[in-house]
Amino acid sequence: MKIKKGDTVQVLAGKDRGKQGRVIDALPRDGRVIVENLNLVKRHRKPTPIRDSSRMGGMQMTPGGIFDKPSPIDISNVMLVCPTCKQATRVGIHVKEIKGETLRVRYCKRCNEEVDR
């Protein structure tokens, strides 16, 4: 998977098409990523008591209500935004040998600058 946690991506399809956000979590086994503040879904949560709260006073409760939660987006529906040219771009991989070790380095196919520094 060519997109990693912390990358800035642009959404290509769906209700958030055209928006950009930072990747919170990458799920390579599922081929999905979770992008900050995009593809939000509503979750209803009951108020529940907090375990092991201090014994003094009454029970403490976590608040209930309706919360927004980002849900995963398929990797095919996002595109990496290059940090140098600030445009959504395809990603290529250069294989470099440094001190006898091979490193895979991602690069922007628009400006040929390395994404990983």
Side-chain angles (χ1 to χ4, degrees):
M1 203 161 81
K2 296 179 181 176
I3 294 176
K4 298 179 182 178
K5 182 177 177 179
D7 287 342
T8 302
V9 294
Q10 182 170 343
V11 179
L12 301 177
K15 64 181 180 182
D16 293 322
R17 178 179 36 224
K19 295 181 183 175
Q20 292 184 358
R22 191 171 48 88
V23 174
I24 298 172
D25 197 13
L27 309 168
R29 185 170 287 169
D30 301 332
R32 293 175 164 267
V33 291
I34 297 176
V35 183
E36 187 175 43
N37 297 327
L38 294 181
N39 200 29
L40 296 176
V41 293
K42 302 242 185 242
R43 288 290 171 249
H44 295 69
R45 193 180 307 156
K46 279 186 186 178
T48 57
I50 299 174
R51 291 182 179 235
D52 299 329
S53 62
S54 62
R55 299 282 178 185
M56 302 165 71
M59 293 269 294
Q60 290 183 342
M61 303 283 280
T62 58
I66 302 171
F67 296 95
D68 286 330
K69 172 186 169 188
S71 64
I73 303 174
D74 197 84
I75 198 73
S76 64
N77 293 333
V78 296
M79 187 178 260
L80 183 76
V81 175
C82 177
T84 54
C85 63
K86 306 289 188 227
Q87 293 181 330
T89 180
R90 291 177 297 140
V91 181
I93 293 179
H94 283 158
V95 179
K96 291 185 174 183
E97 291 209 20
I98 300 175
K99 298 179 184 173
E101 294 184 25
T102 57
L103 289 175
R104 297 173 69 223
V105 181
R106 298 180 300 163
Y107 72 96
C108 169
K109 286 203 172 182
R110 284 184 187 263
C111 63
N112 288 327
E113 290 291 322
E114 291 182 359
V115 176
D116 298 323
R117 293 273 153 98

